[in-house]
Amino acid sequence: PPMAPVTRKLVQIGRVAMVNYGPETGKLVTIINVIDGTRVLVDGPRSITGISRQSFPIKRLSLTSIVINITRDASTTQLEKRWKEQDIMTKWKASGWAKKQEIRAKRAGLSD
């Protein structure tokens, strides 16, 4: 039988990821530069996601399928412009992952 195509999410510049550990858990970030095999430079941008530019271990990020067309070390203003142009938050909210997160949060808020 023919092999199914492999779809992998690569750590790449412009990849949108979600923080999966620490005080920023659940927030989206954009990979701006790859520092080495274990760390990346990310930026929210802060005005949209609440995370400012910082170094982050790859282990603490869950990669999404969303990729933004930006250059390496893009400025925060360029990044904000691209987020708005490409309507990234709408794409994210339309994803199954975001919908599941929303349902989980709603259930956690319920009581008997």
Side-chain angles (χ1 to χ4, degrees):
M3 289 181 59
V6 177
T7 55
R8 290 201 324 213
K9 296 174 196 154
L10 302 173
V11 173
Q12 68 189 91
I13 292 162
R15 174 77 63 186
V16 176
M18 187 176 70
V19 179
N20 62 23
Y21 184 82
E24 309 290 359
T25 300
K27 293 184 180 178
L28 294 178
V29 295
T30 309
I31 297 175
I32 300 298
N33 201 345
V34 179
I35 297 169
D36 59 30
T38 61
R39 297 187 74 76
V40 290
L41 184 67
V42 299
D43 195 345
R46 187 179 187 91
S47 62
I48 300 171
T49 65
I51 296 187
S52 52
R53 188 170 291 222
Q54 59 189 292
S55 167
F56 236 93
I58 295 172
K59 279 186 191 175
R60 292 189 179 185
L61 297 175
S62 298
L63 303 176
T64 68
S65 56
I66 303 167
V67 180
I68 300 173
N69 186 18
I70 56 167
T71 57
R72 186 169 50 127
D73 291 322
S75 71
T76 303
T77 46
Q78 285 177 322
L79 186 60
E80 279 178 33
K81 185 178 163 196
R82 291 281 197 252
W83 265 68
K84 289 174 184 160
E85 277 175 6
Q86 298 177 28
D87 212 6
I88 300 302
M89 281 312 257
T90 307
K91 284 182 187 175
W92 168 248
K93 287 177 181 161
S95 73
W97 192 354
K99 288 175 185 170
K100 282 181 195 172
Q101 249 190 335
E102 199 176 306
I103 290 168
R104 262 191 223 122
K106 200 180 283 183
R107 280 195 193 133
L110 295 176
S111 63
D112 292 336

